[in-house]
Amino acid sequence: MNLRDLGTRLHASRLDGSPATVLPLVPIVLLLQGCGGEAWQAETYPARGQITINGEPPEGAVIELHSKGQQPDVRNSRPWGLVQPDGSFVLSTYESGDGAPAGEYAVVIRWPPDASQPSFADRLGGAYSTAQKSEWDFTITEGENQLPPIEIVGVNVQSKDDARPPQKAPPGPAVGN
Amino acid sequence: MLLSIRRRRAAFTLVELLVVIAIIGILVGLLLPAVQSAREAARRMQCSNNLKQVGLALHNYHDTFRSLPPAWADWDGLWATPLHTAHANAAILPFLEGSSVEDRYDYDVRWDHANNAPLANLMPVTYQCPSTPGAGEIEPNSQFQTSDYTYIRSDTGWVTDPTPNHSMFEQNEFRKFRDVLDGLSNTIMQYESAGRTTLYVHGRQTTAPAWWSGEYRAWAGHFDSSWMYPFQVTVDPASGPPSVTYFVGSDVINVANWGSPYSFHPGGVHVSLADGSVRFLTEFVDLDTLSAHTSIDGHEVAGELQ
């Protein structure tokens, strides 16, 4: 609503003499001031997938998508998903489970011993931890996306306790203690 | 006849009054948000000036002592060789016109030793952002005030870097400007991590995790420095500490304030670069561009921070 419309309505209301048409406009104008919205965010489309490592579902592994072509949005977002006990994952970009913007992505996989703890350890030894090392591509299209299943075989999986951070990580805690 | 006209002119009708009130209401409604944003803009300017002052103080410290002070001093040798010195926030006080406060600081003991207790609420106002609710209040663990600005102690490429020690204030490091091969204009020195008297997650106060001790939060604490990383936080509805998924997604700024970039300015945080300039970093900054600016010698070809 612009000011000219408002003026017209005010004028009209004076003509018919009824303030009842004017007063409801006040809260509407106040509400309009508060409208923001994350204009930079791209449209996302729901996407889910499935992964096994050596035939087992890698519970707690992190799937991250790095765009290969055009940037999905201004910050070049990386949609991600946490692998569930059954090996399935749902991608999120801005909100939990909102999917991913359409486009071409390289799939990056890390398997921290516990993603709820700040740790750089990777049970896969960093084998697929960067876009350069990625061996899979996902294409997100408009609408529902069922991603092709990822099956990794013959890779050395370290136990939770054996997984170590990269050798040259700096001293000190990753975040806190 | 004349008299009756005068009487009719002497008063407004109810409708006229209501219309006038409605118009005034609309005008005030239009004006109030503008006034509020003008106030916030002024606070933001003061905040950026604060960071500028601290940046200049760091430069003057460097001119005097030929290196920057460490912003992570591992006094007890928990992760490195013990380093017995003060945190940068205390060390640069003489260059912020705070010599009288610095005179009371005992460099021979830990920051939280009884000798240094008088400094708990002597933090210079330059360390406070005017937009932060409760700026300058004390922090519950140590009874010290908290600074709204913190130092960068690791670069964001930590996971994939072949070697450590790439950030401006690496742990126990007395950094020299000559080591900054990316150029002082391309390297982040400080950033806002505001309101650390309480834990904020996406603008809501919540329970702090146990590891977030006074050492990380107090303005003179030896571990008052952190780094920028993507993470996801969900507030626990049962008032426990929030659940976190570390190092996933693309959300870095204004997620939570345990040393991560966080401010009460709408849409982003201030950062100061090593050349002393201050930038406003939006929440949708490109992770690669941000990462490039966190390292001193990554040789990245990075776009402008925005």
Side-chain angles (χ1 to χ4, degrees):
Chain A
M1 177 185 302
N2 61 34
L3 280 173
R4 187 182 294 173
D5 292 343
L6 200 64
T8 321
R9 294 206 54 177
L10 277 174
H11 191 60
S13 69
R14 280 206 62 163
L15 279 183
D16 67 30
S18 157
T21 52
V22 185
L23 289 178
L25 290 178
V26 177
I28 293 174
V29 170
L30 290 176
L31 269 178
L32 283 174
Q33 302 298 315
C35 285
E38 305 281 4
W40 57 272
Q41 294 181 352
E43 188 81 30
T44 56
Y45 303 97
R48 53 183 64 247
Q50 197 79 24
I51 179 171
T52 57
I53 294 181
N54 297 341
E56 301 280 325
E59 182 186 357
V62 171
I63 312 289
E64 201 171 56
L65 269 54
H66 292 233
S67 75
K68 293 185 78 175
Q70 210 184 354
Q71 294 198 353
D73 59 20
V74 63
R75 75 173 181 190
N76 203 5
S77 288
R78 298 170 183 174
W80 64 281
L82 197 63
V83 178
Q84 301 302 307
D86 64 350
S88 70
F89 59 88
V90 177
L91 292 181
S92 309
T93 305
Y94 309 113
E95 306 282 335
S96 181
D98 62 353
E104 288 269 335
Y105 297 91
V107 183
V108 166
I109 303 170
R110 283 187 306 117
W111 194 357
D114 180 355
S116 70
Q117 298 299 320
S119 160
F120 296 116
D122 184 356
R123 296 179 65 184
L124 301 171
Y128 313 107
S129 63
T130 64
Q132 287 78 33
K133 297 179 188 169
S134 168
E135 294 178 7
W136 309 271
D137 288 343
F138 279 165
T139 305
I140 306 289
T141 53
E142 298 188 8
E144 292 271 333
N145 289 273
Q146 182 65 48
L147 301 167
I150 293 179
E151 285 162 12
I152 305 175
V153 285
V155 68
N156 180 27
V157 176
Q158 297 158 359
S159 75
K160 284 191 180 189
D161 300 329
D162 287 347
R164 292 269 174 272
Q167 275 192 337
K168 295 190 172 167
V175 175
N177 192 3
Chain B
M1 184 67 182
L2 266 173
L3 199 69
S4 74
I5 287 174
R6 238 178 240 152
R7 269 195 195 142
R8 280 188 61 194
R9 284 278 171 209
F12 293 108
T13 67
L14 181 65
V15 171
E16 282 170 332
L17 275 175
L18 285 175
V19 166
V20 168
I21 292 170
I23 291 172
I24 292 173
I26 289 167
L27 288 178
V28 169
L30 288 172
L31 211 65
L32 259 184
V35 171
Q36 287 304 327
S37 53
R39 289 160 63 98
E40 168 57 23
R43 287 194 292 261
R44 225 177 88 170
M45 268 171 67
Q46 194 184 338
C47 174
S48 104
N49 186 50
N50 285 347
L51 264 179
K52 177 109 191 162
Q53 296 297 329
V54 181
L56 291 177
L58 286 163
H59 269 258
N60 285 332
Y61 183 99
H62 189 283
D63 287 351
T64 310
F65 297 107
R66 297 283 158 216
S67 80
L68 290 172
W72 175 284
D74 198 344
W75 187 282
D76 302 315
L78 294 176
W79 289 283
T81 319
L83 176 68
H84 290 184
T85 189
H87 183 265
N89 273 347
I92 62 169
L93 281 174
F95 304 96
L96 281 171
E97 303 192 324
S99 305
S100 51
V101 178
E102 199 247 6
D103 284 345
R104 298 176 194 207
Y105 192 88
D106 187 348
Y107 281 80
D108 297 328
V109 294
R110 278 176 60 93
W111 64 278
D112 53 357
H113 189 273
N115 288 4
N116 290 328
L119 275 89
N121 54 6
L122 291 180
M123 182 178 82
V125 278
T126 319
Y127 290 165
Q128 295 171 25
C129 169
S131 289
T132 304
E137 284 177 8
I138 57 162
E139 176 275 312
N141 295 333
S142 63
Q143 309 300 321
F144 268 61
Q145 288 174 300
T146 63
S147 163
D148 286 332
Y149 311 113
T150 195
Y151 300 79
I152 190 159
R153 70 158 164 90
S154 176
D155 64 316
T156 300
W158 187 344
V159 188
T160 48
D161 279 344
T163 54
N165 201 350
H166 287 285
S167 72
M168 201 68 201
F169 292 90
E170 203 78 15
Q171 297 153 47
N172 284 4
E173 185 74 31
F174 291 86
R175 180 72 68 203
K176 293 179 192 304
F177 284 147
R178 63 144 196 248
D179 299 334
V180 185
L181 299 180
D182 282 352
L184 297 180
S185 306
N186 298 318
T187 305
I188 293 174
M189 193 151 67
Q190 280 194 291
Y191 57 92
E192 277 187 89
S193 186
R196 283 180 284 169
T197 46
T198 36
L199 176 63
Y200 283 91
V201 173
H202 293 299
R204 287 171 58 194
Q205 295 191 21
T206 185
T207 314
W211 63 261
W212 204 35
S213 65
E215 191 127 28
Y216 297 93
R217 300 166 73 175
W219 72 275
H222 284 147
F223 292 166
D224 179 5
S225 52
S226 189
W227 61 293
M228 305 184 181
Y229 48 88
F231 63 124
Q232 304 285 324
V233 189
T234 317
V235 174
D236 181 11
S239 76
S243 56
V244 190
T245 312
Y246 283 101
F247 314 138
V248 295
S250 318
D251 297 335
V252 181
I253 291 167
N254 287 350
V255 181
N257 69 339
W258 49 56
S260 309
Y262 195 92
S263 86
F264 295 88
H265 310 298
V269 297
H270 282 116
V271 296
S272 76
L273 302 179
D275 63 359
S277 65
V278 178
R279 305 280 179 87
F280 192 71
L281 210 60
T282 54
E283 284 169 7
F284 48 85
V285 62
D286 183 320
L287 206 53
D288 289 326
T289 311
L290 181 66
S291 176
H293 283 81
T294 58
S295 67
I296 57 168
D297 55 359
H299 308 293
E300 307 93 345
V301 181
E304 279 281 291
L305 271 191
Q306 50 157 0

